[in-house]
Amino acid sequence: MQMRFDGRLGFPGGFVDTQDRSLEDGLNRELREELGEAAAAFRVERTDYRSSHVGSGPRVVAHFYAKRLTLEELLAVEAGATRAKDHGLEVLGLVRVPLYTLRDGVGGLPTFLENSFIGCAREQLLEAALHGPMKTEMRTLVLGREGRTWECFLIGSER
């Protein structure tokens, strides 16, 4: 995830331009602009599509994709992100999501979910954690604070 210019957390992305031949072309262009040239080492494809959500603006639909990266690809993206075209403008930095809950039942993902997210990014994060391209099996009960509860079992399997 990334910290956006407005102080909210979200995923890289943006609008499809007239030169983009498809949603995926537009997304891959936006990934290079927001994450840097290391994002050119992989391509988000139609098979990475997860869901769509109607946005708050006119004619805005957010299409959500999830792509599994190798550790080497992730580290390359993190290392080069500060040199990306949009770093310091649209993107203030990358954020790793803690996909665990501490023994106190609050720290980790439950606390992370208390942050301010853009649009439906919180729901997309949970969707990716539940149904995304995870390699190893992972099970975590996620509970929120102050009466908020996200009863999410993160169960992944080989894909």
Side-chain angles (χ1 to χ4, degrees):
M1 295 197 85
Q2 61 189 21
M3 178 61 70
R4 296 165 30 93
F5 67 94
D6 59 6
R8 294 183 280 184
L9 293 168
F11 290 100
F15 291 101
V16 177
D17 291 342
T18 54
Q19 77 266 19
D20 299 322
R21 295 179 318 213
S22 66
L23 288 173
E24 292 79 19
D25 285 346
L27 176 55
N28 285 292
R29 176 186 47 75
E30 286 284 345
L31 289 173
R32 284 188 305 279
E33 290 174 4
E34 296 183 15
L35 300 177
E37 286 306 312
F42 57 89
R43 180 169 168 79
V44 176
E45 301 288 350
R46 189 173 304 256
T47 56
D48 300 314
Y49 170 81
R50 295 291 175 254
S51 63
S52 296
H53 303 272
V54 176
S56 58
R59 300 183 304 155
V60 174
V61 178
H63 303 283
F64 184 60
Y65 292 74
K67 179 84 174 175
R68 186 169 95 198
L69 302 180
T70 65
L71 179 58
E72 292 78 20
E73 289 169 329
L74 174 63
L75 293 174
V77 168
E78 288 179 332
T82 57
R83 294 185 303 276
K85 174 186 167 202
D86 290 342
H87 183 78
L89 302 170
E90 292 182 29
V91 181
L92 301 181
L94 299 182
V95 177
R96 284 196 184 191
V97 178
L99 291 177
Y100 53 82
T101 302
L102 296 179
R103 288 187 188 140
D104 65 6
V106 177
L109 186 58
T111 298
F112 187 84
L113 293 172
E114 295 290 329
N115 284 299
S116 180
F117 292 80
I118 185 72
C120 54
R122 178 185 288 111
E123 292 75 18
Q124 291 170 329
L125 169 61
L126 291 172
E127 178 182 343
L130 287 167
H131 307 292
M134 292 184 279
K135 183 176 181 185
T136 57
E137 187 170 300
M138 167 177 16
R139 295 170 197 214
T140 305
L141 174 62
V142 178
L143 297 172
R145 296 188 268 197
E146 299 169 17
R148 288 184 175 171
T149 303
W150 296 279
E151 292 181 9
C152 265
F153 287 92
L154 306 180
I155 302 173
S157 59
E158 285 287 335
R159 289 190 184 252

